[in-house]
Amino acid sequence: MELANINRVYFVGIGGIGMSALARYFAKRGVVVCGYDKTRTNLTIELEREGILITYLDEESAVSICFQKNHDDTLVVYTPAIPKNSNILNHFKNNGFSLKKRSEVLGIISQGMFCIAVAGTHGKTTTSSMIAHLLTDTGFGCTAFLGGITSNYNSNVLFGKNNVVVVEADEYDRSFLTLHPDVAVVTSMDADHLDIYGDESHLHESFHLFANQLKTDGKLFVKDGLPLDGITYSATENAALRASNIHVENGNFVFDFEDGYTKIKELNLAMPGKHNVENAVAAIGVALSLGIHPKSIKKAVASFKGVKRRFEIQVSTLKHIYIDDYAHHPEELRACFDAVKQLHPEKKLTVIFQPHLFTRTRDFADDFAKVLSTADDVILLEIYPARELPIEGVNSQMLLDKITIINKELCGKDSVVQHIKNKNPELLLTVGAGDIDTLVEPLKNALNHA
């Protein structure tokens, strides 16, 4: 389907972060956009305010009248998270509509454009957002489809006037194989989505296929140590692109960048953690490869405010520090904990963690327990199931039993705020990719009034 021929788009699962970015893109193009999602959220409310009609009733009768019958100019976009027995999804399937996954639509949009794609089991949202910001802030420009709400622009989509597009390339369900980038970044290849891939070797195979889809003369930036051939980057001395002299000043991470040709000294990054320095090194490498001046890059790095729910500081007072993060994989938790401890080495760390998916909890239970045991106090919420059905014997109690510290407990989502009021922690971290974000404002209010 040609992009120019699309006049109507329906999104089944419009409330997803990636889906909503596409919905905003098509609405901006003047296309008729409607959608369905199971739950009304702050994001879907924003889409409604932007003029997009959304239903929360999974019934064929709830589909907007202009999408009741198929037309050649109509596209239906769906997310794999939607159940196969969805009435709305089956309405479109049974009536011969053109159905595409989000990744396939990104492939259609990016076709013919200069595409910068960022892939990785973690780190891709922050890195793609950094790249988009560097290109935008320096005046180079880009269109961008991001997996998070960037704090600088309060959006997950940016609209540029040039032919450059930045996309987050999702490995889930091998979705990123619809892309053919000019520049690609691979941030990580840790085992994940084993419900799809079975084992780590098949995940690695998909990343190799993604790397092979790079256009002729394209550039591949690879985190040092990954089993891919490309331009390596790292927050150590060994890679082709590297950070050095990393230190903390006034809560920010300061470092030097060098690649053998260019050196940028005293870069100031507001996103804490060595892993974010590493993400910044990759973003700087991409910007330099496009010919952007080092002075402009340095200024843009300093002005990057981060991404919502990526090490987002919610409370910072003399009595309380509260940070919220999207981490939901053991390696992400480890990087997040390390960053917290680097910034606040003397404070006792209390963690509220909501495990995400029964399969991920089952597959990485020992790794999760090992990382969580490095906190001082752990509160576990029940597993957020997302698209999955329960698995016998896989629950938060199973994970709690594996954690080795003394101060650990299960807590219901409805009672955790009062529990935190009673505990009155000096350093609180909430982590997870489910609906734990609904606790952020109540916890913030509780600590601010403690």
Side-chain angles (χ1 to χ4, degrees):
M1 180 175 274
E2 296 289 330
L3 185 62
N5 297 332
I6 300 171
N7 292 316
R8 288 180 280 197
V9 188
Y10 196 98
F11 289 87
V12 187
I14 196 168
I17 194 71
M19 293 281 278
S20 59
L22 284 175
R24 284 169 158 159
Y25 170 81
F26 279 106
K28 180 83 169 179
R29 286 179 64 89
V31 169
V32 175
V33 177
C34 296
Y36 157 78
D37 211 284
K38 182 180 177 181
T39 309
R40 197 165 192 245
T41 63
N42 289 337
L43 186 50
T44 61
I45 290 168
E46 287 178 21
L47 295 178
E48 289 173 337
R49 286 173 182 159
E50 292 164 21
I52 295 173
L53 184 64
I54 300 174
T55 182
Y56 302 94
L57 182 65
D58 186 19
E59 297 294 342
E60 186 173 351
S61 60
V63 175
S64 311
I65 193 164
C66 62
F67 291 95
Q68 287 288 343
K69 292 184 179 180
N70 189 14
H71 298 275
D72 291 340
D73 65 349
T74 302
L75 172 65
V76 176
V77 189
Y78 73 100
T79 169
I82 292 293
K84 291 181 180 179
N85 62 353
S86 162
N87 292 316
I88 287 180
L89 182 63
N90 284 303
H91 159 73
F92 292 119
K93 284 182 176 178
N94 296 337
N95 288 283
F97 282 80
S98 175
L99 271 77
K100 302 283 185 188
K101 293 181 184 177
R102 181 186 72 90
S103 56
E104 293 176 290
V105 179
L106 280 177
I108 292 171
I109 293 170
S110 62
Q111 203 171 33
M113 297 182 77
F114 186 93
C115 178
I116 302 167
V118 182
T121 45
H122 36 263
K124 58 183 175 288
T125 296
T126 298
T127 305
S128 57
S129 298
M130 281 185 180
I131 292 169
H133 175 68
L134 296 194
L135 270 53
T136 301
D137 190 75
T138 59
F140 186 91
C142 69
T143 296
F145 297 93
L146 307 170
I149 305 296
T150 58
S151 297
N152 289 81
Y153 310 99
N154 198 32
S155 182
N156 51 353
V157 61
L158 303 181
F159 301 98
K161 295 180 180 178
N162 60 9
N163 199 40
V164 176
V165 61
V166 178
V167 300
E168 185 172 317
D170 190 1
E171 76 283 354
Y172 176 75
D173 203 22
R174 299 175 175 84
S175 293
F176 55 7
L177 299 183
T178 60
L179 299 168
H180 297 272
D182 296 87
V183 176
V185 180
V186 178
T187 63
S188 52
M189 291 166 55
D190 292 301
D192 200 5
H193 305 303
L194 299 187
D195 54 322
I196 298 294
Y197 288 102
D199 58 39
E200 190 173 28
S201 66
H202 287 95
L203 176 77
H204 283 195
E205 181 184 26
S206 275
F207 275 97
H208 280 279
L209 290 171
F210 169 72
N212 288 338
Q213 297 201 160
L214 198 68
K215 289 178 187 171
T216 306
D217 299 325
K219 285 188 171 68
L220 175 63
F221 295 88
V222 179
K223 181 182 172 182
D224 190 45
L226 296 183
L228 286 174
D229 293 327
I231 303 166
T232 58
Y233 70 89
S234 178
T236 68
E237 298 290 332
N238 302 320
L241 279 61
R242 54 200 176 273
S244 59
N245 192 28
I246 303 169
H247 56 285
V248 178
E249 284 185 17
N250 301 318
N252 289 357
F253 272 58
V254 179
F255 64 98
D256 299 337
F257 169 94
E258 54 185 312
D259 62 3
Y261 305 96
T262 303
K263 187 161 188 174
I264 310 174
K265 300 200 74 170
E266 294 289 304
L267 287 144
N268 198 304
L269 180 67
M271 288 197 77
K274 183 181 173 183
H275 62 298
N276 281 319
V277 171
E278 211 152 47
N279 294 335
V281 169
I284 293 165
V286 171
L288 286 171
S289 76
L290 299 174
I292 299 175
H293 196 279
K295 283 187 179 179
S296 299
I297 292 172
K298 182 176 180 178
K299 176 177 169 289
V301 169
S303 66
F304 181 63
K305 296 177 183 176
V307 183
K308 301 288 187 185
R309 297 219 63 228
R310 268 64 174 188
F311 211 92
E312 194 172 14
I313 298 171
Q314 299 290 342
V315 176
S316 181
T317 65
L318 292 175
K319 290 173 64 180
H320 300 290
I321 302 291
Y322 170 32
I323 300 163
D324 176 53
D325 195 90
Y326 189 70
H328 56 284
H329 182 280
E331 289 304 316
E332 294 171 344
L333 285 182
R334 184 174 287 109
C336 182
F337 285 19
D338 286 348
V340 172
K341 289 171 183 178
Q342 281 178 282
L343 285 178
H344 306 288
E346 305 301 321
K347 293 185 182 294
K348 178 183 173 184
L349 174 60
T350 299
V351 173
I352 303 174
F353 176 52
Q354 182 187 48
H356 185 260
L357 299 180
F358 295 104
T359 53
R360 184 181 284 125
T361 306
R362 177 198 63 198
D363 295 339
F364 302 108
D366 290 341
D367 294 327
F368 276 124
K370 187 175 180 181
V371 179
L372 289 165
S373 296
T374 64
D376 297 293
D377 195 343
V378 171
I379 300 167
L380 287 186
L381 304 181
E382 279 303 335
I383 296 170
Y384 185 80
R387 57 187 176 269
E388 294 184 339
L389 295 173
I391 298 173
E392 188 176 353
V394 179
N395 50 45
S396 289
Q397 182 63 54
M398 176 270 290
L399 181 56
L400 189 78
D401 291 341
K402 291 176 177 288
I403 297 171
T404 58
I405 59 173
I406 296 171
N407 296 317
K408 59 177 184 175
E409 59 192 307
L410 289 180
C411 191
K413 191 162 166 275
D414 56 348
S415 58
V416 72
V417 176
Q418 184 58 50
H419 193 52
I420 288 297
K421 281 183 182 178
N422 297 337
K423 289 178 82 74
N424 199 26
E426 59 176 350
L427 176 59
L428 177 67
L429 174 65
T430 48
V431 275
D435 61 358
I436 192 172
D437 60 316
T438 60
L439 294 175
V440 172
E441 284 303 317
L443 287 169
K444 187 176 174 179
N445 289 336
L447 293 176
N448 275 328
H449 295 95

